[in-house]
Amino acid sequence: MTDEDGTRHLGDAITALLDGELSDDEAVAARRHLAECPACTAEMAGLGQMRSWLRDLPPVDPPPELSARILGPSGPLSEILGLSGPLSGILGSPLPPGGSAVGPAGPSGPPSRAVAAPPARSRRWAGVGALVGCAAATLVVLGLATPHDPPTSPPVAHFVEAHATAGGGEPVSHLAPAVVPVSFRR
Amino acid sequence: MSGSGVPTWEEVARDHGRFLSTVAYRLTGKDDDAQDLVQEVLLRVRRGLGTYRPGNLEGWLSRITTNVFLDDVRWRRRRPSEALPDEPERVLPPAPGADVALESQELPADLQAALRLLPVDYRAAIVLSDVVGQSYEEIAAILDIPLGTVRSRIHRGRGLLRKYLVAGGDRD
């Protein structure tokens, strides 16, 4: 990328350098330019800060009401099966008392809401036969099969795998330290 | 997991539900849309497990999630009645200084709001890179775009986020 006065700048090579996506030769050339270009150095610091903030975003737990939305009295599965009440017991996995799936949100996830009829547009995506097979596992994954499970959200979890590339994660300044995230897999 | 290394649907739903929920929320920025997206992805996963080749499962799940999201955006664009994204001034609070933003407890919410303002192509690339942790090559394969385009979208996307969030930036 070139300024009005003809000065060439790094442009998106800054981002590639931050992400460890430049070849060794390209990275050497980029760092040489950074040593002499305050504008690119400042841009790299700013973009590095965005990268760090994005990678520090916490995971989002699936809300308990999602399962009820799929499986509850007004959900597409109950319509398919002709059910008029909660599905407690039918699938071997009881819903909480009253059929409600309201529960605490994860520390950084979206807030829980009371169970409501799914919006019309969700039915646009509802598959008929597949929902039957999805039902039991959905209850498990969304926490209703074992409602007394301990909280699943660790403090500020990083679930991006550590980048194993040799050039990954350039520390650009004290404002934007390189982040080496870790897997959130159990 | 079966002997072939292909997970069962139940294993995917159980072990990667949080991953799917996170990617869906970061892409859509809205609870209802994220839930719709997760629901659809789980259905497609169940249908598609027969074609899954053991390897990068999260990459495979990311591909499905992102493609379903982008397909829906394109569908909505053909329906003028669908709500358009809010303007930055109506969504974001006044931008704090960079040093204040670093300490702000509101940063995740502000950053998510800013993410939602990005063009979807930039947003998808950034989510795949910075939320999922995919390499440029993996992102190029998922989005079916050249490596240079991946790099450009991530660069421009982060630049826009910086413009939205940092004091002194023009929100145009």
Side-chain angles (χ1 to χ4, degrees):
Chain A
M1 133 175 211
T2 308
D3 263 354
E4 292 174 351
D5 61 1
T7 304
R8 291 183 59 84
H9 295 286
L10 291 177
D12 61 13
I14 290 177
T15 290
L17 180 64
L18 280 169
D19 292 333
E21 295 277 355
L22 291 181
S23 67
D24 290 345
D25 289 344
E26 290 171 331
V28 167
R31 289 193 204 103
R32 188 181 304 125
H33 175 88
L34 286 170
E36 300 170 351
C37 182
C40 285
T41 300
E43 184 176 12
M44 188 166 180
L47 294 178
Q49 188 172 60
M50 290 304 109
R51 181 179 183 269
S52 291
W53 286 351
L54 286 162
R55 291 178 176 232
D56 282 345
L57 281 172
V60 178
D61 290 318
E65 63 265 28
L66 177 56
S67 178
R69 198 170 113 180
I70 297 174
L71 302 169
S74 303
L77 183 59
S78 65
E79 292 176 8
I80 293 162
L81 298 179
L83 302 171
S84 59
L87 293 175
S88 176
I90 292 177
L91 299 172
S93 300
L95 291 172
S100 169
V102 174
S108 301
S112 296
R113 297 183 309 227
V115 174
R121 66 167 185 264
S122 75
R123 297 192 180 91
R124 172 173 63 83
W125 282 347
V128 172
L131 279 173
V132 177
C134 287
T138 304
L139 282 172
V140 172
V141 70
L142 296 174
L144 296 185
T146 54
H148 301 294
D149 279 347
T152 57
S153 178
V156 192
H158 295 273
F159 57 87
V160 176
E161 282 199 356
H163 288 262
T165 56
E170 284 279 333
V172 297
S173 76
H174 70 285
L175 294 177
V179 173
V180 182
V182 296
S183 172
F184 76 120
R185 292 200 189 98
R186 294 179 301 170
Chain B
M1 192 171 292
S2 67
S4 65
V6 177
T8 64
W9 185 91
E10 289 76 11
E11 286 168 341
V12 172
R14 182 187 64 234
D15 297 340
H16 300 277
R18 192 187 215 194
F19 172 81
L20 290 174
S21 181
T22 300
V23 176
Y25 186 72
R26 296 302 173 210
L27 283 171
T28 62
K30 295 173 70 177
D31 294 356
D32 281 352
D33 290 348
Q35 292 175 30
D36 277 354
L37 182 52
V38 170
Q39 180 176 318
E40 177 66 11
V41 168
L42 287 173
L43 292 175
R44 294 203 189 187
V45 165
R46 193 173 189 284
R47 293 188 208 119
L49 270 175
T51 62
Y52 171 67
R53 297 293 173 263
N56 185 352
L57 179 58
E58 287 185 352
W60 185 67
L61 294 174
S62 303
R63 177 193 293 261
I64 296 174
T65 308
T66 306
N67 287 334
V68 172
F69 166 70
L70 291 174
D71 287 347
D72 183 61
V73 167
R74 294 177 193 122
W75 180 83
R76 289 174 190 242
R77 282 176 179 164
R78 292 194 291 271
R79 297 170 60 90
S81 59
E82 291 290 328
L84 295 173
D86 290 333
E87 294 301 317
E89 290 73 18
R90 297 211 309 262
V91 172
L92 296 172
D99 56 344
V100 174
L102 281 171
E103 301 168 8
S104 171
Q105 296 301 311
E106 299 302 315
L107 181 58
D110 289 350
L111 184 51
Q112 179 60 56
L115 255 179
R116 194 162 166 258
L117 294 172
L118 289 181
V120 292
D121 291 338
Y122 295 1
R123 194 186 321 160
I126 282 188
V127 168
L128 288 170
S129 172
D130 296 337
V131 176
V132 179
Q134 300 288 307
S135 68
Y136 284 14
E137 185 175 356
E138 290 165 334
I139 296 170
I142 289 171
L143 298 179
D144 194 24
I145 56 178
L147 274 176
T149 305
V150 173
R151 175 165 135 171
S152 171
R153 288 183 184 179
I154 294 173
H155 180 74
R156 293 179 184 179
R158 288 179 187 159
L160 282 174
L161 290 174
R162 183 183 176 204
K163 186 179 287 189
Y164 294 153
L165 289 172
V166 177
D170 294 326
R171 294 181 181 178
D172 52 17

mmCIF file of all heavy atoms in Angstrom, chain B residues 32-66:
data_model
loop_
_atom_site.group_PDB
_atom_site.id
_atom_site.type_symbol
_atom_site.label_atom_id
_atom_site.label_comp_id
_atom_site.label_asym_id
_atom_site.label_seq_id
_atom_site.Cartn_x
_atom_site.Cartn_y
_atom_site.Cartn_z
ATOM 1 N N ASP B 32 -31.558 -15.089 19.575
ATOM 2 C CA ASP B 32 -32.504 -15.891 18.785
ATOM 3 C C ASP B 32 -31.847 -16.419 17.516
ATOM 4 O O ASP B 32 -32.014 -17.583 17.148
ATOM 5 C CB ASP B 32 -33.733 -15.053 18.401
ATOM 6 C CG ASP B 32 -34.718 -14.937 19.541
ATOM 7 O OD1 ASP B 32 -34.521 -15.624 20.561
ATOM 8 O OD2 ASP B 32 -35.682 -14.166 19.426
ATOM 9 N N ASP B 33 -31.123 -15.554 16.846
ATOM 10 C CA ASP B 33 -30.468 -15.973 15.611
ATOM 11 C C ASP B 33 -29.418 -17.040 15.893
ATOM 12 O O ASP B 33 -29.253 -17.988 15.116
ATOM 13 C CB ASP B 33 -29.820 -14.769 14.917
ATOM 14 C CG ASP B 33 -30.842 -13.815 14.331
ATOM 15 O OD1 ASP B 33 -32.028 -14.187 14.265
ATOM 16 O OD2 ASP B 33 -30.449 -12.694 13.945
ATOM 17 N N ALA B 34 -28.701 -16.875 16.989
ATOM 18 C CA ALA B 34 -27.680 -17.871 17.339
ATOM 19 C C ALA B 34 -28.330 -19.219 17.635
ATOM 20 O O ALA B 34 -27.822 -20.268 17.227
ATOM 21 C CB ALA B 34 -26.864 -17.393 18.548
ATOM 22 N N GLN B 35 -29.444 -19.201 18.331
ATOM 23 C CA GLN B 35 -30.134 -20.455 18.638
ATOM 24 C C GLN B 35 -30.676 -21.116 17.372
ATOM 25 O O GLN B 35 -30.597 -22.337 17.204
ATOM 26 C CB GLN B 35 -31.268 -20.185 19.627
ATOM 27 C CG GLN B 35 -30.763 -19.785 21.010
ATOM 28 C CD GLN B 35 -31.883 -19.404 21.949
ATOM 29 O OE1 GLN B 35 -32.996 -19.914 21.843
ATOM 30 N NE2 GLN B 35 -31.601 -18.503 22.876
ATOM 31 N N ASP B 36 -31.229 -20.308 16.494
ATOM 32 C CA ASP B 36 -31.680 -20.847 15.207
ATOM 33 C C ASP B 36 -30.517 -21.498 14.476
ATOM 34 O O ASP B 36 -30.648 -22.577 13.892
ATOM 35 C CB ASP B 36 -32.236 -19.722 14.323
ATOM 36 C CG ASP B 36 -33.678 -19.374 14.635
ATOM 37 O OD1 ASP B 36 -34.293 -20.070 15.457
ATOM 38 O OD2 ASP B 36 -34.188 -18.400 14.043
ATOM 39 N N LEU B 37 -29.391 -20.815 14.503
ATOM 40 C CA LEU B 37 -28.226 -21.291 13.774
ATOM 41 C C LEU B 37 -27.720 -22.602 14.361
ATOM 42 O O LEU B 37 -27.444 -23.554 13.626
ATOM 43 C CB LEU B 37 -27.126 -20.223 13.799
ATOM 44 C CG LEU B 37 -25.827 -20.521 13.048
ATOM 45 C CD1 LEU B 37 -26.080 -20.936 11.610
ATOM 46 C CD2 LEU B 37 -24.916 -19.288 13.090
ATOM 47 N N VAL B 38 -27.630 -22.670 15.671
ATOM 48 C CA VAL B 38 -27.173 -23.915 16.307
ATOM 49 C C VAL B 38 -28.129 -25.058 15.983
ATOM 50 O O VAL B 38 -27.713 -26.172 15.682
ATOM 51 C CB VAL B 38 -27.054 -23.732 17.833
ATOM 52 C CG1 VAL B 38 -26.828 -25.079 18.529
ATOM 53 C CG2 VAL B 38 -25.911 -22.780 18.167
ATOM 54 N N GLN B 39 -29.403 -24.773 16.032
ATOM 55 C CA GLN B 39 -30.416 -25.790 15.731
ATOM 56 C C GLN B 39 -30.224 -26.341 14.322
ATOM 57 O O GLN B 39 -30.202 -27.555 14.097
ATOM 58 C CB GLN B 39 -31.796 -25.163 15.888
ATOM 59 C CG GLN B 39 -32.952 -26.110 15.617
ATOM 60 C CD GLN B 39 -34.281 -25.427 15.883
ATOM 61 O OE1 GLN B 39 -34.431 -24.700 16.861
ATOM 62 N NE2 GLN B 39 -35.258 -25.664 15.023
ATOM 63 N N GLU B 40 -30.059 -25.441 13.369
ATOM 64 C CA GLU B 40 -29.885 -25.873 11.989
ATOM 65 C C GLU B 40 -28.572 -26.625 11.797
ATOM 66 O O GLU B 40 -28.514 -27.628 11.065
ATOM 67 C CB GLU B 40 -29.937 -24.666 11.052
ATOM 68 C CG GLU B 40 -29.684 -24.997 9.580
ATOM 69 C CD GLU B 40 -30.764 -25.856 8.958
ATOM 70 O OE1 GLU B 40 -31.829 -26.039 9.593
ATOM 71 O OE2 GLU B 40 -30.543 -26.370 7.848
ATOM 72 N N VAL B 41 -27.528 -26.139 12.445
ATOM 73 C CA VAL B 41 -26.231 -26.799 12.312
ATOM 74 C C VAL B 41 -26.304 -28.224 12.851
ATOM 75 O O VAL B 41 -25.777 -29.151 12.235
ATOM 76 C CB VAL B 41 -25.136 -25.990 13.032
ATOM 77 C CG1 VAL B 41 -23.845 -26.798 13.145
ATOM 78 C CG2 VAL B 41 -24.858 -24.688 12.270
ATOM 79 N N LEU B 42 -26.938 -28.409 13.995
ATOM 80 C CA LEU B 42 -27.050 -29.757 14.559
ATOM 81 C C LEU B 42 -27.793 -30.689 13.612
ATOM 82 O O LEU B 42 -27.442 -31.865 13.471
ATOM 83 C CB LEU B 42 -27.734 -29.712 15.921
ATOM 84 C CG LEU B 42 -26.893 -29.137 17.068
ATOM 85 C CD1 LEU B 42 -27.731 -28.980 18.325
ATOM 86 C CD2 LEU B 42 -25.683 -30.011 17.341
ATOM 87 N N LEU B 43 -28.804 -30.177 12.956
ATOM 88 C CA LEU B 43 -29.522 -30.995 11.984
ATOM 89 C C LEU B 43 -28.606 -31.366 10.819
ATOM 90 O O LEU B 43 -28.572 -32.513 10.373
ATOM 91 C CB LEU B 43 -30.737 -30.243 11.465
ATOM 92 C CG LEU B 43 -31.866 -29.989 12.459
ATOM 93 C CD1 LEU B 43 -32.951 -29.122 11.835
ATOM 94 C CD2 LEU B 43 -32.464 -31.296 12.951
ATOM 95 N N ARG B 44 -27.866 -30.423 10.329
ATOM 96 C CA ARG B 44 -26.997 -30.702 9.194
ATOM 97 C C ARG B 44 -25.847 -31.623 9.585
ATOM 98 O O ARG B 44 -25.401 -32.437 8.776
ATOM 99 C CB ARG B 44 -26.450 -29.399 8.617
ATOM 100 C CG ARG B 44 -27.525 -28.547 8.000
ATOM 101 C CD ARG B 44 -26.962 -27.598 6.992
ATOM 102 N NE ARG B 44 -27.942 -26.645 6.538
ATOM 103 C CZ ARG B 44 -27.730 -25.791 5.550
ATOM 104 N NH1 ARG B 44 -26.576 -25.784 4.922
ATOM 105 N NH2 ARG B 44 -28.669 -24.944 5.190
ATOM 106 N N VAL B 45 -25.370 -31.468 10.806
ATOM 107 C CA VAL B 45 -24.315 -32.365 11.273
ATOM 108 C C VAL B 45 -24.829 -33.800 11.275
ATOM 109 O O VAL B 45 -24.141 -34.722 10.828
ATOM 110 C CB VAL B 45 -23.846 -31.953 12.688
ATOM 111 C CG1 VAL B 45 -23.033 -33.073 13.340
ATOM 112 C CG2 VAL B 45 -23.018 -30.680 12.611
ATOM 113 N N ARG B 46 -26.037 -33.956 11.775
ATOM 114 C CA ARG B 46 -26.582 -35.312 11.831
ATOM 115 C C ARG B 46 -26.705 -35.912 10.440
ATOM 116 O O ARG B 46 -26.423 -37.077 10.211
ATOM 117 C CB ARG B 46 -27.936 -35.312 12.529
ATOM 118 C CG ARG B 46 -28.392 -36.716 12.877
ATOM 119 C CD ARG B 46 -29.639 -36.724 13.718
ATOM 120 N NE ARG B 46 -29.916 -38.061 14.204
ATOM 121 C CZ ARG B 46 -30.430 -39.024 13.456
ATOM 122 N NH1 ARG B 46 -30.717 -38.800 12.194
ATOM 123 N NH2 ARG B 46 -30.655 -40.219 13.968
ATOM 124 N N ARG B 47 -27.118 -35.093 9.492
ATOM 125 C CA ARG B 47 -27.254 -35.597 8.114
ATOM 126 C C ARG B 47 -25.901 -35.832 7.473
ATOM 127 O O ARG B 47 -25.753 -36.694 6.618
ATOM 128 C CB ARG B 47 -28.018 -34.588 7.262
ATOM 129 C CG ARG B 47 -29.458 -34.399 7.640
ATOM 130 C CD ARG B 47 -30.176 -33.520 6.602
ATOM 131 N NE ARG B 47 -31.283 -32.808 7.232
ATOM 132 C CZ ARG B 47 -31.371 -31.485 7.296
ATOM 133 N NH1 ARG B 47 -30.452 -30.719 6.766
ATOM 134 N NH2 ARG B 47 -32.401 -30.916 7.892
ATOM 135 N N GLY B 48 -24.911 -35.027 7.873
ATOM 136 C CA GLY B 48 -23.644 -35.033 7.157
ATOM 137 C C GLY B 48 -22.555 -35.894 7.749
ATOM 138 O O GLY B 48 -21.480 -36.023 7.161
ATOM 139 N N LEU B 49 -22.800 -36.495 8.919
ATOM 140 C CA LEU B 49 -21.745 -37.264 9.565
ATOM 141 C C LEU B 49 -21.268 -38.429 8.709
ATOM 142 O O LEU B 49 -20.123 -38.859 8.811
ATOM 143 C CB LEU B 49 -22.227 -37.773 10.936
ATOM 144 C CG LEU B 49 -21.954 -36.833 12.104
ATOM 145 C CD1 LEU B 49 -22.578 -37.380 13.378
ATOM 146 C CD2 LEU B 49 -20.466 -36.622 12.297
ATOM 147 N N GLY B 50 -22.146 -38.925 7.859
ATOM 148 C CA GLY B 50 -21.752 -40.030 7.004
ATOM 149 C C GLY B 50 -20.667 -39.656 6.011
ATOM 150 O O GLY B 50 -19.935 -40.520 5.520
ATOM 151 N N THR B 51 -20.543 -38.365 5.734
ATOM 152 C CA THR B 51 -19.538 -37.919 4.764
ATOM 153 C C THR B 51 -18.316 -37.303 5.447
ATOM 154 O O THR B 51 -17.376 -36.907 4.768
ATOM 155 C CB THR B 51 -20.138 -36.868 3.813
ATOM 156 O OG1 THR B 51 -20.536 -35.719 4.585
ATOM 157 C CG2 THR B 51 -21.361 -37.423 3.101
ATOM 158 N N TYR B 52 -18.342 -37.237 6.775
ATOM 159 C CA TYR B 52 -17.226 -36.606 7.497
ATOM 160 C C TYR B 52 -16.012 -37.525 7.480
ATOM 161 O O TYR B 52 -16.099 -38.699 7.805
ATOM 162 C CB TYR B 52 -17.643 -36.299 8.939
ATOM 163 C CG TYR B 52 -16.489 -35.859 9.811
ATOM 164 C CD1 TYR B 52 -15.842 -34.647 9.590
ATOM 165 C CD2 TYR B 52 -16.035 -36.672 10.848
ATOM 166 C CE1 TYR B 52 -14.780 -34.252 10.378
ATOM 167 C CE2 TYR B 52 -14.973 -36.281 11.643
ATOM 168 C CZ TYR B 52 -14.349 -35.066 11.399
ATOM 169 O OH TYR B 52 -13.290 -34.680 12.188
ATOM 170 N N ARG B 53 -14.877 -36.950 7.112
ATOM 171 C CA ARG B 53 -13.607 -37.675 7.148
ATOM 172 C C ARG B 53 -12.858 -37.232 8.389
ATOM 173 O O ARG B 53 -12.615 -36.040 8.562
ATOM 174 C CB ARG B 53 -12.786 -37.370 5.900
ATOM 175 C CG ARG B 53 -13.462 -37.826 4.604
ATOM 176 C CD ARG B 53 -13.547 -39.338 4.508
ATOM 177 N NE ARG B 53 -14.341 -39.741 3.329
ATOM 178 C CZ ARG B 53 -15.622 -40.051 3.377
ATOM 179 N NH1 ARG B 53 -16.275 -40.008 4.523
ATOM 180 N NH2 ARG B 53 -16.259 -40.416 2.270
ATOM 181 N N PRO B 54 -12.483 -38.151 9.280
ATOM 182 C CA PRO B 54 -11.825 -37.779 10.538
ATOM 183 C C PRO B 54 -10.629 -36.859 10.301
ATOM 184 O O PRO B 54 -9.807 -37.085 9.418
ATOM 185 C CB PRO B 54 -11.375 -39.119 11.117
ATOM 186 C CG PRO B 54 -12.336 -40.104 10.547
ATOM 187 C CD PRO B 54 -12.649 -39.597 9.155
ATOM 188 N N GLY B 55 -10.558 -35.832 11.113
ATOM 189 C CA GLY B 55 -9.479 -34.865 10.979
ATOM 190 C C GLY B 55 -9.772 -33.681 11.859
ATOM 191 O O GLY B 55 -9.855 -33.809 13.069
ATOM 192 N N ASN B 56 -9.971 -32.543 11.269
ATOM 193 C CA ASN B 56 -10.230 -31.323 12.015
ATOM 194 C C ASN B 56 -11.736 -31.168 12.218
ATOM 195 O O ASN B 56 -12.434 -30.555 11.410
ATOM 196 C CB ASN B 56 -9.657 -30.130 11.252
ATOM 197 C CG ASN B 56 -9.780 -28.839 12.035
ATOM 198 O OD1 ASN B 56 -10.420 -28.785 13.086
ATOM 199 N ND2 ASN B 56 -9.186 -27.792 11.515
ATOM 200 N N LEU B 57 -12.240 -31.727 13.325
ATOM 201 C CA LEU B 57 -13.683 -31.711 13.555
ATOM 202 C C LEU B 57 -14.190 -30.279 13.745
ATOM 203 O O LEU B 57 -15.231 -29.915 13.196
ATOM 204 C CB LEU B 57 -14.032 -32.560 14.782
ATOM 205 C CG LEU B 57 -15.517 -32.605 15.154
ATOM 206 C CD1 LEU B 57 -16.355 -33.143 14.005
ATOM 207 C CD2 LEU B 57 -15.727 -33.460 16.406
ATOM 208 N N GLU B 58 -13.452 -29.485 14.497
ATOM 209 C CA GLU B 58 -13.918 -28.114 14.706
ATOM 210 C C GLU B 58 -13.875 -27.319 13.417
ATOM 211 O O GLU B 58 -14.714 -26.437 13.190
ATOM 212 C CB GLU B 58 -13.093 -27.444 15.800
ATOM 213 C CG GLU B 58 -13.444 -27.970 17.185
ATOM 214 C CD GLU B 58 -12.735 -27.233 18.298
ATOM 215 O OE1 GLU B 58 -11.841 -26.410 18.004
ATOM 216 O OE2 GLU B 58 -13.062 -27.486 19.467
ATOM 217 N N GLY B 59 -12.937 -27.627 12.575
ATOM 218 C CA GLY B 59 -12.919 -26.983 11.264
ATOM 219 C C GLY B 59 -14.147 -27.367 10.455
ATOM 220 O O GLY B 59 -14.762 -26.517 9.803
ATOM 221 N N TRP B 60 -14.513 -28.628 10.521
ATOM 222 C CA TRP B 60 -15.700 -29.114 9.810
ATOM 223 C C TRP B 60 -16.948 -28.453 10.375
ATOM 224 O O TRP B 60 -17.813 -27.988 9.624
ATOM 225 C CB TRP B 60 -15.775 -30.632 9.939
ATOM 226 C CG TRP B 60 -16.858 -31.296 9.166
ATOM 227 C CD1 TRP B 60 -16.961 -31.390 7.802
ATOM 228 C CD2 TRP B 60 -17.997 -31.979 9.704
ATOM 229 N NE1 TRP B 60 -18.100 -32.085 7.458
ATOM 230 C CE2 TRP B 60 -18.742 -32.477 8.609
ATOM 231 C CE3 TRP B 60 -18.452 -32.232 11.003
ATOM 232 C CZ2 TRP B 60 -19.924 -33.203 8.777
ATOM 233 C CZ3 TRP B 60 -19.623 -32.959 11.159
ATOM 234 C CH2 TRP B 60 -20.341 -33.434 10.053
ATOM 235 N N LEU B 61 -17.050 -28.397 11.691
ATOM 236 C CA LEU B 61 -18.210 -27.759 12.312
ATOM 237 C C LEU B 61 -18.236 -26.267 11.987
ATOM 238 O O LEU B 61 -19.306 -25.683 11.783
ATOM 239 C CB LEU B 61 -18.173 -27.966 13.831
ATOM 240 C CG LEU B 61 -18.336 -29.402 14.321
ATOM 241 C CD1 LEU B 61 -18.125 -29.473 15.830
ATOM 242 C CD2 LEU B 61 -19.699 -29.961 13.948
ATOM 243 N N SER B 62 -17.063 -25.650 11.962
ATOM 244 C CA SER B 62 -16.994 -24.222 11.627
ATOM 245 C C SER B 62 -17.472 -23.979 10.207
ATOM 246 O O SER B 62 -18.136 -22.980 9.928
ATOM 247 C CB SER B 62 -15.557 -23.712 11.743
ATOM 248 O OG SER B 62 -15.048 -23.931 13.015
ATOM 249 N N ARG B 63 -17.082 -24.871 9.310
ATOM 250 C CA ARG B 63 -17.494 -24.718 7.912
ATOM 251 C C ARG B 63 -19.016 -24.762 7.812
ATOM 252 O O ARG B 63 -19.634 -23.914 7.175
ATOM 253 C CB ARG B 63 -16.893 -25.834 7.061
ATOM 254 C CG ARG B 63 -17.321 -25.815 5.610
ATOM 255 C CD ARG B 63 -16.943 -27.116 4.924
ATOM 256 N NE ARG B 63 -15.507 -27.258 4.813
ATOM 257 C CZ ARG B 63 -14.812 -26.970 3.700
ATOM 258 N NH1 ARG B 63 -15.445 -26.510 2.641
ATOM 259 N NH2 ARG B 63 -13.514 -27.142 3.660
ATOM 260 N N ILE B 64 -19.635 -25.747 8.474
ATOM 261 C CA ILE B 64 -21.094 -25.861 8.421
ATOM 262 C C ILE B 64 -21.736 -24.622 9.014
ATOM 263 O O ILE B 64 -22.649 -24.028 8.427
ATOM 264 C CB ILE B 64 -21.569 -27.125 9.172
ATOM 265 C CG1 ILE B 64 -21.047 -28.387 8.481
ATOM 266 C CG2 ILE B 64 -23.088 -27.142 9.255
ATOM 267 C CD1 ILE B 64 -21.352 -29.660 9.245
ATOM 268 N N THR B 65 -21.272 -24.222 10.193
ATOM 269 C CA THR B 65 -21.873 -23.087 10.889
ATOM 270 C C THR B 65 -21.758 -21.815 10.061
ATOM 271 O O THR B 65 -22.733 -21.063 9.908
ATOM 272 C CB THR B 65 -21.192 -22.879 12.259
ATOM 273 O OG1 THR B 65 -21.186 -24.106 12.989
ATOM 274 C CG2 THR B 65 -21.914 -21.818 13.072
ATOM 275 N N THR B 66 -20.592 -21.566 9.523
ATOM 276 C CA THR B 66 -20.378 -20.350 8.744
ATOM 277 C C THR B 66 -21.203 -20.366 7.471
ATOM 278 O O THR B 66 -21.811 -19.347 7.108
ATOM 279 C CB THR B 66 -18.886 -20.195 8.399
ATOM 280 O OG1 THR B 66 -18.111 -20.258 9.590
ATOM 281 C CG2 THR B 66 -18.624 -18.878 7.705
#
